[in-house]
């Protein structure tokens, strides 16, 4: 498939400067200072002879076709399949990472295949996916590749979706999101203490990314918070987070509360009880948010989209599967005609099982 090992490994990075004998990566707020021969926190950005190299360019850990509800995005072309892929490494250090075999992997150990941007888009077309999702680890760290794939996808009418922690600098975000149509941002908690101790990052840059996305771009934005028992699931914290979303981002921004399972460096906590998610959803709805969901559990009521005007269930779901759909071609409630926030195409709704189809490594 026309791969060039050396070209991909030696892909020069963007968004960096030199500082003495070190390079400073300015892609994410961590701004790693990297000595010659060393890598940044995310493993894949390296100083090679005084230049910053992006070593993951074109090297994916594998492809799958997911329901878009799995990202999760519930108000962006519901019921459609999305070609999903990621690479090794991550720019956050979440102790609870639910995907750590990829995010904490070194490139050489992640069985990465090498695929050109054209090949990714061609794969999406072959799999009849109207969108591509950059997911599994954080797409910020291989932004150069994301941009190159997304540009081609946009030119062929395929949408681009990011699943990210939103930890990106002001300098880089405009270019990263130029061809992006929708994003799910992990807002991992609503305290700086949690961000600092449990994710090794800071909350303010994430809030700033969210404000920018909602108010200064056309990128459809949804938010996910993984609720961890005893750490970020108190009534006060859920209410503070929801109130902030409602007042600073708007009532139409969907929020997903999802269930944690013990993993990686956090095996001393129990899985999130379904009742915790139900409680969080109730609190968020009380703040006025119109589209609040639960995830990683079977809860038809909590996974359903309701019309904010008449209360009718316009999209009923069970896990990632669509059970019923009552939104017209103009994106309005079929019952009362109220516009439902988001992007909808009734002709593309596949009422499938909502299951993943793994394609594996593409050669
Ligand atoms: S993208 Fe990677 S190398 Fe760059 S600042 Fe963030 S963690 Fe460091």
């Amino acid at each position: 498939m026309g791969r060039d090992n050396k070209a991909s490994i030696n892909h020069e990075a963007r968004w960096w400067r030199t500082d003495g004998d070190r390079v400073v990566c300015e892609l994410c707020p961590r701004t790693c200072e990297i000595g010659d021969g060393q890598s940044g926190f995310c493993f894949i950005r390296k100083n090679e002879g005084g230049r910053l190299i992006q070593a993951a360019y074109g090297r994916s850990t594998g492809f799958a076709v997911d329901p878009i509800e799995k990202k999760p995005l519930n108000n962006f072309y519901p019921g459609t399949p999305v070609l999903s892929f990621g690479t090794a490494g991550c720019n956050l250090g979440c102790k609870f990472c639910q995907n750590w075999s990829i995010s904490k992997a070194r490139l050489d150990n992640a069985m990465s295949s090498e695929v050109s941007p054209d090949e990714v888009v061609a794969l999406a077309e072959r799999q009849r996916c109207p969108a591509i999702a950059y997911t599994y680890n954080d797409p910020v760290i291989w932004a150069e590749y994301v941009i190159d794939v997304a540009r081609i996808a946009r030119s062929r009418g395929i949408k681009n979706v990011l699943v990210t922690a939103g930890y990106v600098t002001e300098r880089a975000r405009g270019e990263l999101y130029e061809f992006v149509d929708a994003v799910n941002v992990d807002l991992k908690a609503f305290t700086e203490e949690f961000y600092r101790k449990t994710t090794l990052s800071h909350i303010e840059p994430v809030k700033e990314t969210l404000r920018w996305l909602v108010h200064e771009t056309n990128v459809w934005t949804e938010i996910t918070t993984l609720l961890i028992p005893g750490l970020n699931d108190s009534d006060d914290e859920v209410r503070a987070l929801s109130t902030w979303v409602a007042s600073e981002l708007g009532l139409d921004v969907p929020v997903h509360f999802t269930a944690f399972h013990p993993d990686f460096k956090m095996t001393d906590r129990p899985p999130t009880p379904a009742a915790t998610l139900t409680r969080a959803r109730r609190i968020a709805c009380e703040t006025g948010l119109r589209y609040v969901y639960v995830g990683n559990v079977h809860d038809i009521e909590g996974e359903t989209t309701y019309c904010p005007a008449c209360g009718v269930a316009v999209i009923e779901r069970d896990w990632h599967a669509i059970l019923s759909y009552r939104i017209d071609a103009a994106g309005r409630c079929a019952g009362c005609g109220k516009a439902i926030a988001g992007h909808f195409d009734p002709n593309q709704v596949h009422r499938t099982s909502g299951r993943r189809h793994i394609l594996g490594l593409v050669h």
Side-chain angles (χ1 to χ4, degrees):
M1 292 175 77
R3 293 182 295 277
D4 181 340
N5 217 16
K6 270 194 152 341
S8 61
I9 288 172
N10 292 326
H11 194 92
E12 183 157 333
R14 295 188 216 167
W15 313 291
W16 60 276
R17 61 183 163 82
T18 54
D19 185 1
D21 60 351
R22 304 171 84 80
V23 301
V24 180
C25 177
E26 297 182 329
L27 172 54
C28 95
R30 201 173 287 285
T31 55
C32 297
E33 296 181 16
I34 309 169
D36 193 14
Q38 296 179 333
S39 304
F41 181 93
C42 59
F43 299 138
I44 68 155
R45 304 178 78 81
K46 300 180 176 175
N47 178 345
E48 286 190 7
R51 307 196 71 72
L52 190 65
I53 300 304
Q54 201 260 72
Y57 192 96
R59 302 181 71 188
S60 162
T61 49
F63 291 80
V65 175
D66 285 337
I68 197 142
E69 287 76 12
K70 190 172 173 57
K71 301 303 97 189
L73 287 170
N74 277 3
N75 290 41
F76 186 79
Y77 298 108
T80 57
V82 54
L83 180 70
S84 302
F85 73 124
T87 189
C90 191
N91 59 335
L92 270 72
C94 301
K95 293 176 180 164
F96 54 87
C97 184
Q98 310 278 284
N99 221 2
W100 64 272
S101 61
I102 290 174
S103 68
K104 298 304 167 197
R106 308 268 174 163
L107 262 182
D108 293 343
N109 299 332
M111 297 173 56
S112 303
S113 60
E114 295 179 27
V115 185
S116 74
D118 273 316
E119 289 168 335
V120 176
V121 177
L123 181 60
E125 290 174 334
R126 277 204 306 281
Q127 294 294 323
R128 299 177 192 276
C129 291
I132 296 172
Y134 309 82
T135 179
Y136 303 142
N137 67 332
D138 203 299
V140 165
I141 63 172
W142 65 343
E144 296 87 351
Y145 184 62
V146 170
I147 292 167
D148 286 354
V149 178
R151 178 186 293 111
I152 296 168
R154 166 84 49 100
S155 74
R156 297 198 198 158
I158 293 176
K159 304 273 190 290
N160 294 294
V161 169
L162 298 193
V163 182
T164 176
Y167 210 55
V168 63
T169 59
E170 183 178 354
R171 180 181 172 195
R173 69 191 182 195
E175 290 172 83
L176 173 60
Y177 281 92
E178 182 175 355
F179 306 106
V180 173
D181 300 283
V183 62
N184 189 297
V185 177
D186 253 335
L187 181 56
K188 294 176 182 283
F190 207 62
T191 65
E192 171 60 15
E193 184 184 13
F194 180 100
Y195 263 85
R196 184 168 43 79
K197 287 185 180 170
T198 312
T199 74
L200 310 184
S201 65
H202 302 285
I203 190 171
E204 196 51 46
V206 181
K207 290 163 77 174
E208 181 50 36
T209 298
L210 280 165
R211 287 190 201 96
W212 175 78
L213 282 166
V214 171
H215 297 302
E216 297 183 44
T217 76
N218 291 320
V219 179
W220 176 253
T221 302
E222 303 193 14
I223 293 171
T224 295
T225 300
L226 185 83
L227 292 179
I228 304 173
L231 277 186
N232 64 356
D233 66 339
S234 72
D235 287 8
D236 286 350
E237 186 162 345
V238 169
R239 188 170 291 107
L241 183 153
S242 305
T243 301
W244 180 81
V245 173
S247 62
E248 296 232 11
L249 305 182
L251 302 179
D252 284 338
V253 173
V255 175
H256 304 249
F257 294 108
T258 56
F260 154 91
H261 65 266
D263 215 335
F264 193 40
K265 295 179 182 171
M266 194 171 284
T267 52
D268 59 336
R269 303 266 163 181
T272 311
T276 298
L277 304 178
T278 304
R279 170 174 56 82
R281 181 171 175 272
R282 176 180 52 75
I283 292 169
C285 289
E286 286 169 1
T287 69
L289 290 175
R290 296 177 176 131
Y291 307 98
V292 186
Y293 303 104
V294 302
N296 298 347
V297 291
H298 284 285
D299 176 350
I300 292 176
E301 183 180 343
E303 290 156 346
T304 288
T305 304
Y306 297 92
C307 171
C310 70
V312 157
V314 287
I315 308 172
E316 282 181 296
R317 299 182 183 82
D318 183 10
W319 204 270
H320 302 132
I322 302 241
L323 305 179
S324 68
Y325 189 90
R326 301 186 191 92
I327 297 178
D328 69 18
R332 294 175 307 223
C333 169
C336 73
K338 167 81 174 174
I340 306 299
H343 299 261
F344 303 94
D345 182 352
N347 296 320
Q348 287 195 48
V349 176
H350 301 258
R351 285 180 205 160
T352 64
S353 63
R355 296 237 168 86
R356 164 175 289 177
H357 171 45
I358 293 175
L359 304 174
L361 300 173
V362 175
H363 296 283

